[in-house]
Amino acid sequence: MKISRRQFVQVLAVAGASALLTACGGSSNNSAAGSTAASGAAAAAGGSFNLKLGHNLAEDHAVHIQLTSFAEQVKEKTNGTVNIQIIPNGTLGSESDMISQIQAGALDMAKVSASTLGNFSEKYNAFSVPYVFDDQDHYYTYMDSDSAQAVFESTDDQGFRGLTWLDSGARSFYTKATAIRTPADLKGLKIRTMDSQMAIDMMNCLGGSATVMGYSDIYTGMQQGVIDGAENNVTALRDHGDVTKYYCFDEHTRIPDMVIISSNIWNQFSDDQKSAVTECAKAATEEYKTAWKNFEDEVLDKAVNQNGVELVKDVDIAAFQSAVQPIYENLKTANPTTYAVVEEIRAMA
């Protein structure tokens, strides 16, 4: 049977990840590659798991620090039967790569953005809708709800599920020369966005020009005038502070990070192991709310006091909310699955 070039590349990526994980000590004693029935019986009797959790951030990032603490707590709570090794720095590839590896049984867990998960479940796209969350309290209330849990479990049939979420702050515009206080200030500006149709639609509604590029290209893009700015949470100033003049708190989206786990591995856990891992995951989410705030404050302090970035807080939020209403109207008919989650979120405002 002939396979496409894309399929061939995917096979090579999974094979490479498998080889790396094997070199690191294997995926798990009860791996997806083994007998599911046998390993499930072992787990029910108190079997042991050696799991790998990949993410694409550095060891000094708050995410890595929190995930390391989570792994330590899981080991303690499960009496050493569930051991999680954290693999940082994008060693295992992009977020999409890591999800593919989980689906293929070559990886057990990963930290990925909810925006990436929108490619696997339309329900996750609700988190990327601009101004779907009114503020941080609304965001936290929904993300800790049963409704959010249903979204987390919506990919179970695709081989993975959301275990918990981590705050990733609010995304706002930052620019090299122009303060953004109203949508009109974006007119004619080239703003880097993620490779997301929702992000592109948002820029179209606000009057700016969406420029899709990788995160690693933003610094040079702003420095050389290829783009006029970007949109991200405040921690982006850790990398872009010295080419940024204004950070403008329009806070258009709050897109969480997600910790996902292989459904196969999850189903092999005993009830006690599931309970312990769930308890540790919820504790990690709560601890990270404070850790994230401290991380943001640290980055902002350096951006202002060392790089001279001006923080623009007198933003006309109502004008931005009004400008993106066509996105909501379009979702009603074009993406009813996404819109149903949007309605659930808005009901909790």
Side-chain angles (χ1 to χ4, degrees), residues 28 36 41 44 48-49 60 73-74 80 99 107 114 118 132 142 173 175 187 202 217 231 239 242-243 252 286 307 339:
S28 68
T36 301
S48 295
F49 296 81
D60 65 345
Q73 292 177 41
V74 168
I99 293 171
L107 182 63
V132 70
Y142 177 80
F173 295 110
T175 63
K187 186 175 181 179
M202 178 186 71
D217 297 323
E231 56 86 37
D239 299 318
D242 59 350
V243 291
H252 45 263
E286 287 304 309
N307 297 124
Y339 190 71

Side-chain angles (χ1 to χ4, degrees), residues 20-176:
L20 176 58
L21 291 171
T22 301
C24 291
S27 181
S28 68
N29 289 353
N30 298 316
S31 71
S35 167
T36 301
S39 54
S48 295
F49 296 81
N50 294 313
L51 309 179
K52 302 294 187 291
L53 191 165
H55 69 80
N56 58 8
L57 299 168
E59 285 102 326
D60 65 345
H61 194 285
V63 161
H64 180 78
I65 295 169
Q66 188 65 62
L67 291 178
T68 300
S69 174
F70 163 68
E72 292 169 351
Q73 292 177 41
V74 168
K75 182 175 182 179
E76 180 181 352
K77 286 282 186 182
T78 62
N79 297 315
T81 63
V82 179
N83 298 283
I84 303 172
Q85 179 184 348
I86 312 298
I87 304 177
N89 296 312
T91 302
L92 301 178
S94 69
E95 292 185 347
S96 294
D97 290 336
M98 289 188 287
I99 293 171
S100 294
Q101 290 160 30
I102 289 175
Q103 291 177 313
L107 182 63
D108 308 298
M109 304 174 68
K111 190 288 298 177
V112 299
S113 171
S115 62
T116 302
L117 293 175
N119 295 319
F120 298 86
S121 169
E122 289 187 349
K123 292 185 176 183
Y124 272 107
N125 287 328
F127 300 155
S128 297
V129 174
Y131 297 105
V132 70
F133 298 109
D134 284 352
D135 51 31
Q136 186 183 74
D137 287 343
H138 178 203
Y139 174 51
Y140 284 179
T141 296
Y142 177 80
M143 293 307 299
D144 290 329
S145 71
D146 290 341
S147 175
Q149 187 62 38
V151 176
F152 301 167
E153 295 175 7
S154 65
T155 56
D156 233 348
D157 61 349
Q158 297 188 61
F160 64 91
R161 59 162 49 202
L163 183 61
T164 194
W165 67 281
L166 298 176
D167 192 2
S168 191
R171 298 177 74 94
S172 294
F173 295 110
Y174 57 100
T175 63
K176 61 182 295 183

Side-chain angles (χ1 to χ4, degrees), residues 332-344:
K332 287 182 182 180
T333 54
N335 299 94
T337 299
T338 300
Y339 190 71
V341 179
V342 168
E343 289 187 304
E344 290 177 352

